[in-house]
Amino acid sequence: MPQDPMDFEWSYWVEWGRERILWLLAGHLLVSQMSRLLVEKYKPWCLMVYGMAACWLLLGIKGFAVILLHAAISFAVAQFQLSLLTWLCSLILLATLRIPAVEETKRRWYDTENEYYLLLFTVSVRCLFCTSFSLEYCWHAPSQKSSHSFPWMLAYVFYYPTFHNGPLVNFDEFSKQMRRQEAFSVKTNLIILIVGIIRIFFWWCLAELMIHLMYIHALYSSALPLESASYWALGGLALAQVLFFYVKYLVLYGVPGLLLQMDGLKPPALPCCVSLMHSFTKMWRSFDVGLHRFLVRYIYVPMGGSQSSLLGTLLSTALTFAFVSYWHGGQSYLWYWGALNWLGVIVENGTKRILSISVIQDLI
């Protein structure tokens, strides 16, 4: 039975995975386990060199140079130790991805659109990693700068399991765990690997069944069946779509998460099942945990967060969702999506504050 071709993200990453990425991830696993077994002290540098070689192989010398240039510019700007300047640099680097002349130049580097999109997705994710490193550099004392050197930035930016699509791991977490040297057990790691592969294979089979049998995205791409469907059917379609999105990210984040475990690191928790969620706040905290930690640490808390006034909380939340919308592409529908999520979070938190008032609690 033919599959539903309308979910671009799933088809795209499955195709790249079969062609090259899974093989490169297997190579990373081999290098990682050998370095943990033989030269634990130099593991970050072994993985950095491998990540650079994998980037060069997939994206070519020009794609590799773009990512290296982004890292170098971010590191240079971080030397001023001004968070606002670092953020301005990050936003400008993101903006360069949407300049038509730059897009056309990058397209000419590759034979296919898929190769260009791989560079686009990779650089977008790398921008977040560069931002995380640069802000940590700004916030740490001069005595701690040795742990925030340019080689450490390269080890972080070119760490291959999270290279193309995440999940996002903040630099402070990455560096602490990567520096930690602990007992290495081949048997324990082999068990983790086998159990992890079985789980991911199950999720992949489930996603493939959904995309071959349910045709959710094909139905959404045509107005006619949606106009004739009942509200119950539309609700079922919406639920089916978010459930497929959940299963898809169990695979897309499960594979790099397994490799993080094999490297002795603690990956962000995998997405929580959307059927168990009933609030915007929990959705943002529990679905993409790595992105949530990034947004809280680098945008929400520095802007005041929940500890500031009501106006400050509204502003910090709005800036957080504005950045998410801009990073995802900045199209008009993304601004609407971000605004609706912001409104949902504000209404929920406002309701909680009202219900926490003692008079209201007594009435209830």
Side-chain angles (χ1 to χ4, degrees), residues 78-202:
Q79 303 308 301
F80 293 97
Q81 295 187 278
L82 297 171
S83 298
L84 185 60
L85 192 60
T86 291
W87 267 115
L88 183 61
C89 172
S90 299
L91 292 174
I92 291 172
L93 289 175
L94 273 173
T96 61
L97 302 180
R98 303 180 182 100
I99 299 174
V102 176
E103 288 182 330
E104 287 305 312
T105 300
K106 291 177 180 176
R107 274 190 168 93
R108 287 197 293 268
W109 295 348
Y110 302 105
D111 297 327
T112 65
E113 280 285 293
N114 274 1
E115 291 174 293
Y116 163 72
Y117 281 125
L118 184 65
L119 173 65
L120 181 64
F121 297 150
T122 303
V123 175
S124 297
V125 176
R126 292 307 94 200
C127 278
L128 297 185
F129 279 68
C130 289
T131 303
S132 175
F133 175 90
S134 299
L135 289 172
E136 295 294 340
Y137 186 95
C138 293
W139 296 345
H140 282 76
S143 59
Q144 298 173 298
K145 288 295 184 278
S146 60
S147 61
H148 294 73
S149 62
F150 190 59
W152 267 106
M153 184 182 196
L154 294 181
Y156 175 58
V157 169
F158 285 97
Y159 181 68
Y160 195 68
T162 61
F163 191 66
H164 298 294
N165 194 42
L168 186 57
V169 180
N170 292 340
F171 178 73
D172 60 323
E173 301 169 11
F174 176 85
S175 60
K176 286 175 187 175
Q177 295 175 34
M178 190 62 82
R179 290 171 186 275
R180 186 178 61 220
Q181 297 185 17
E182 53 188 22
F184 175 69
S185 170
V186 177
K187 182 181 178 182
T188 302
N189 261 22
L190 187 61
I191 293 171
I192 292 172
L193 180 63
I194 292 171
V195 172
I197 288 174
I198 291 171
R199 291 174 68 193
I200 292 167
F201 182 71
F202 170 76

Side-chain angles (χ1 to χ4, degrees), residues 150-310:
F150 190 59
W152 267 106
M153 184 182 196
L154 294 181
Y156 175 58
V157 169
F158 285 97
Y159 181 68
Y160 195 68
T162 61
F163 191 66
H164 298 294
N165 194 42
L168 186 57
V169 180
N170 292 340
F171 178 73
D172 60 323
E173 301 169 11
F174 176 85
S175 60
K176 286 175 187 175
Q177 295 175 34
M178 190 62 82
R179 290 171 186 275
R180 186 178 61 220
Q181 297 185 17
E182 53 188 22
F184 175 69
S185 170
V186 177
K187 182 181 178 182
T188 302
N189 261 22
L190 187 61
I191 293 171
I192 292 172
L193 180 63
I194 292 171
V195 172
I197 288 174
I198 291 171
R199 291 174 68 193
I200 292 167
F201 182 71
F202 170 76
W203 296 329
W204 177 78
C205 289
L206 182 57
E208 284 291 315
L209 277 173
M210 293 175 77
I211 211 164
H212 277 83
L213 299 177
M214 299 180 72
Y215 294 91
I216 313 156
H217 303 90
L219 287 169
Y220 268 113
S221 65
S222 177
L224 187 61
L226 296 180
E227 289 172 353
S228 59
S230 66
Y231 289 130
W232 281 104
L234 290 174
L237 280 171
L239 178 60
Q241 187 178 46
V242 294
L243 284 172
F244 175 77
F245 192 76
Y246 160 65
V247 175
K248 174 170 67 177
Y249 269 87
L250 286 179
V251 177
L252 296 182
Y253 280 177
V255 173
L258 176 59
L259 290 176
L260 281 160
Q261 283 185 281
M262 298 296 292
D263 291 345
L265 309 179
K266 184 179 180 181
L270 289 174
C272 183
C273 180
V274 291
S275 295
L276 301 177
M277 299 181 194
H278 60 274
S279 74
F280 285 95
T281 307
K282 186 178 179 182
M283 181 72 179
W284 278 98
R285 287 177 179 171
S286 308
F287 194 86
D288 192 335
V289 175
L291 179 60
H292 175 260
R293 289 175 181 169
F294 176 93
L295 297 171
V296 169
R297 181 168 177 81
Y298 301 120
I299 302 178
Y300 185 70
V301 171
M303 289 303 298
S306 58
Q307 302 304 313
S308 61
S309 63
L310 176 60

Side-chain angles (χ1 to χ4, degrees), residues 2-117:
Q3 72 173 38
D4 181 351
M6 301 306 295
D7 188 85
F8 169 78
E9 189 177 32
W10 177 256
S11 305
Y12 183 84
W13 289 117
V14 167
E15 183 181 342
W16 268 109
R18 286 170 177 164
E19 285 185 2
R20 293 186 187 179
I21 290 179
L22 281 180
W23 298 104
L24 289 171
L25 289 173
H28 170 93
L29 178 62
L30 180 61
V31 170
S32 167
Q33 300 311 293
M34 292 300 293
S35 60
R36 290 191 75 185
L37 193 61
L38 303 174
V39 284
E40 175 77 18
K41 184 179 179 181
Y42 300 103
K43 180 182 71 173
W45 317 122
C46 294
L47 297 181
M48 178 191 75
V49 171
Y50 181 86
M52 287 179 158
C55 172
W56 194 316
L57 179 65
L58 269 189
L59 301 177
I61 186 171
K62 292 178 180 178
F64 172 78
V66 167
I67 294 172
L68 192 60
L69 180 64
H70 276 229
I73 292 172
S74 297
F75 185 77
V77 172
Q79 303 308 301
F80 293 97
Q81 295 187 278
L82 297 171
S83 298
L84 185 60
L85 192 60
T86 291
W87 267 115
L88 183 61
C89 172
S90 299
L91 292 174
I92 291 172
L93 289 175
L94 273 173
T96 61
L97 302 180
R98 303 180 182 100
I99 299 174
V102 176
E103 288 182 330
E104 287 305 312
T105 300
K106 291 177 180 176
R107 274 190 168 93
R108 287 197 293 268
W109 295 348
Y110 302 105
D111 297 327
T112 65
E113 280 285 293
N114 274 1
E115 291 174 293
Y116 163 72
Y117 281 125

